[in-house]
Amino acid sequence: MSANGRTTSRVVHEVVAETLIAYGTECLFGLIGDANLFMVDSFVKNKDVRYIAATHEASAVLMALGYAQRTGRIGVATITHGPALTNAITALAEGAKGSIPLVLVCGDTPPDNLQHLQKINQRELIAAAGAGFIELRKRETVAEDIATAFRKAQLERRPIVLNMRVDLQWEPCDVVPTKLRMPETRALVPASEDLDEALGIIAGARRPIILAGRGAASADAREALVKLARQIEAPLATTLKASGLFEGEPWNLGVFGGLSHPATVDLIVQSDCIIAFGASLSRHTTEQGSFVRGKRIIQIMSRPTDLASNVVPTIGLVGDAALMANAMCDMLQAADIEPSGFAVGEPPQRDSIIEQAASKPKALPTGVVDIDFALARLNNATPPIRTLVTDLGRFVTTAWLAFPVTAPENLIHTVNFGAIGLGLSQAIGAAIASAGEPVVMVAGDGGFMLGGLSEISTAVRENLALIIIVCNDNSYGAEHIQFTNRSMNPELSMIGSPDFAAIAKAMGAAGVTVRSEADLDVACHAISNLSGPLLIDLKLDANHIPMR
């Protein structure tokens, strides 16, 4: 109550915070500034939510992207205006290209202050990054505008920026947020000639393979696809982003694409039909089209536009993966279709490619270790139930092979935009979501210096179960390869990396430098006794990093 006895109104920044919480925001990632500090202050006064402060605006957005991938929920972040937004553009582009739902509450300057030092056309910047834009219009529409941002993030599968002008934030506002209800997005199975033709193709296939992408990575989709695979006797495979979906199934072929095991490649070559659920069939999955050439392709996607992105399928169907697979099972059973006989008997053995390579470590100069051998040792020291995050570099395929995951949500993909330096922040977001389950983050030295060093402090402050492995070859790997492939001097690609383990220790984390097998023993022991962030600095030879 005010001194005169009248009810004191809440103000806009308080209602924004209340609405974020009412709409399910349990964790907010951010960096405060002029245009969002009061909203964040209102948010943290609620004891049932968590605020994670980043040291850079891009990191705040990336943390929310990692959190969204790990949880399957909408990530939420907040930054201020102007340079804060320009700092975050690469992170927004990563989220847009990766189809990751995110709401970014972004401050903006007052419209009447044309000389404001940080004034910039934020709408155009956001559009250029591929993200969506929603304006917080006025105090009466706070809850409505935030609801629109959440719905668009979910339905459009991309970051949506909620533009929050600083001049609105102290205006009186008595809006009460209502429950947010998301529209049903599981499309019904179409009754069409295309579905009938697809069933005919499946019925006639002698060597079908069922392929699941990230769009079919849910528990109900897994159950339905396994049921269909058993019914038609087809092996199961996944794209990289859906890794681990069929863990435990005897005819699980693992990843379909450039990272396929040789035994999986043999069966892909033999196959005559690929039934792809929620997989975009990118050039990485299809090995530049060679894995699908001459085969009949049935592709099922939840959005019509996704059927026109890469390979042209024989039949393209729009529908939910689980609903479609269950309908196919029922219709094939009703037609009394005989199984193919392709996935019968003893399934192929898929020994770890990295373990095989590590069994014969390369003879290298003193002071460096073999990357295959080192990552295999570190994998064996890490609990099998963990989350893997990788930055981008020539080490990345080796890391994906070295640290297999048991479920799609345990692989955080950070390379949708082809940018280095996005790994550690997304790993922090994933670790916040993992409730103490370990997170392994593998980065190169160049990428880690670009986007990792400062956020070690965040990992330490939150005491995260985070294992950071820096593949330190003192170079920018892709550029080193281009120079050496042309027999040119690679000196320009050499960067003289610092002592990362010492830096980690100085910032409060544990650190181990690995130059030998004895050092690897120390690193493995540190993993076994993990009690907070741990950085392992792998010293590698730039001339001996395999490209897979």
Side-chain angles (χ1 to χ4, degrees), residues 396-461:
V396 69
T397 50
T398 301
W400 285 330
L401 292 168
F403 292 94
V405 297
T406 56
E409 62 269 21
N410 292 123
L411 177 65
I412 308 301
H413 194 77
T414 74
V415 298
N416 298 288
F417 192 30
I420 66 171
L422 309 187
L424 181 59
S425 294
Q426 295 203 53
I428 290 172
I432 294 293
S434 295
E437 200 174 274
V439 173
V440 177
M441 199 286 290
V442 187
D445 48 335
F448 194 68
M449 284 197 290
L450 178 66
L453 286 177
S454 66
E455 295 303 343
I456 293 176
S457 63
T458 304
V460 170
R461 184 179 64 247

Side-chain angles (χ1 to χ4, degrees), residues 321-342:
L323 294 177
M324 185 70 77
N326 282 324
M328 287 177 168
C329 286
D330 293 341
M331 297 172 79
L332 290 168
Q333 185 174 25
D336 200 23
I337 301 299
E338 291 292 322
S340 69
F342 191 34

Side-chain angles (χ1 to χ4, degrees), residues 35 106-111 135-137 163-169:
C106 180
D108 200 357
T109 56
E135 186 76 58
L136 192 63
R137 294 169 290 168
N163 207 57
M164 181 177 65
R165 299 194 332 261
V166 70
D167 57 298
L168 285 177
Q169 295 185 39

Side-chain angles (χ1 to χ4, degrees), residues 87-419:
N87 279 348
I89 290 301
T90 296
L92 285 173
E94 169 68 19
K97 285 181 173 288
S99 299
I100 303 171
L102 169 82
V103 171
L104 175 61
V105 183
C106 180
D108 200 357
T109 56
D112 60 346
N113 187 352
L114 301 181
Q115 301 301 315
H116 195 291
L117 193 63
Q118 295 187 339
K119 194 171 190 63
I120 196 169
N121 191 328
Q122 300 199 159
R123 183 189 293 267
E124 290 189 3
L125 271 175
I126 292 160
F133 182 93
I134 295 293
E135 186 76 58
L136 192 63
R137 294 169 290 168
K138 53 186 179 179
R139 61 188 181 185
E140 293 86 359
T141 64
V142 169
E144 180 183 339
D145 295 334
I146 297 176
T148 300
F150 273 81
R151 289 194 188 96
K152 286 177 72 68
Q154 182 70 32
L155 296 174
E156 297 177 10
R157 309 295 299 175
R158 62 172 178 156
I160 302 296
V161 176
L162 178 71
N163 207 57
M164 181 177 65
R165 299 194 332 261
V166 70
D167 57 298
L168 285 177
Q169 295 185 39
W170 286 97
E171 290 191 10
C173 182
D174 290 324
V175 171
V176 177
T178 57
K179 183 178 179 180
L180 177 65
R181 180 167 181 167
M182 290 293 184
E184 174 61 69
T185 58
R186 299 181 68 195
L188 296 174
V189 176
S192 69
E193 293 181 3
D194 284 347
L195 177 57
D196 293 338
E197 188 173 343
L199 291 168
I201 291 172
I202 295 171
R206 295 298 88 203
R207 296 177 300 280
I209 291 178
I210 292 177
L211 171 62
R214 197 62 181 256
S218 63
D220 58 345
R222 180 193 191 279
E223 181 180 354
L225 267 57
V226 168
K227 178 182 175 183
L228 177 62
R230 292 174 179 173
Q231 185 170 324
I232 66 174
E233 294 179 350
L236 292 153
T238 72
T239 63
L240 173 66
K241 288 187 176 183
S243 294
L245 181 65
F246 300 121
E247 181 75 12
E249 282 298 305
W251 275 90
N252 172 24
L253 302 181
V255 174
F256 184 116
L259 296 178
S260 290
H261 189 279
T264 297
V265 174
D266 288 344
L267 290 175
I268 292 172
V269 171
Q270 294 175 40
S271 67
D272 58 3
C273 175
I274 307 298
I275 312 166
F277 292 85
S280 66
L281 301 177
S282 72
R283 62 189 180 91
H284 302 292
T285 298
T286 65
E287 272 292 79
Q288 317 298 328
S290 63
F291 279 4
V292 296
R293 195 168 295 126
K295 308 181 193 302
R296 292 191 168 189
I297 309 297
I298 299 168
Q299 186 181 21
I300 300 96
M301 303 296 282
S302 61
R303 300 182 298 188
T305 52
D306 292 336
L307 291 169
S309 56
N310 294 300
V311 171
V312 178
T314 310
I315 297 291
L317 299 169
V318 179
D320 175 78
L323 294 177
M324 185 70 77
N326 282 324
M328 287 177 168
C329 286
D330 293 341
M331 297 172 79
L332 290 168
Q333 185 174 25
D336 200 23
I337 301 299
E338 291 292 322
S340 69
F342 191 34
V344 294
E346 195 68 26
Q349 295 299 308
R350 295 186 297 110
D351 299 328
S352 168
I353 296 171
I354 299 302
E355 292 283 0
Q356 291 175 8
S359 65
K360 297 179 180 179
K362 301 180 184 71
L364 297 174
T366 302
V368 295
V369 291
D370 176 12
I371 186 172
D372 288 344
F373 181 75
L375 293 186
R377 284 286 310 278
L378 296 175
N379 169 63
N380 290 335
T382 306
I385 306 299
R386 72 292 180 94
T387 294
L388 174 67
V389 186
T390 59
D391 209 297
L392 181 59
R394 57 175 166 170
F395 62 86
V396 69
T397 50
T398 301
W400 285 330
L401 292 168
F403 292 94
V405 297
T406 56
E409 62 269 21
N410 292 123
L411 177 65
I412 308 301
H413 194 77
T414 74
V415 298
N416 298 288
F417 192 30

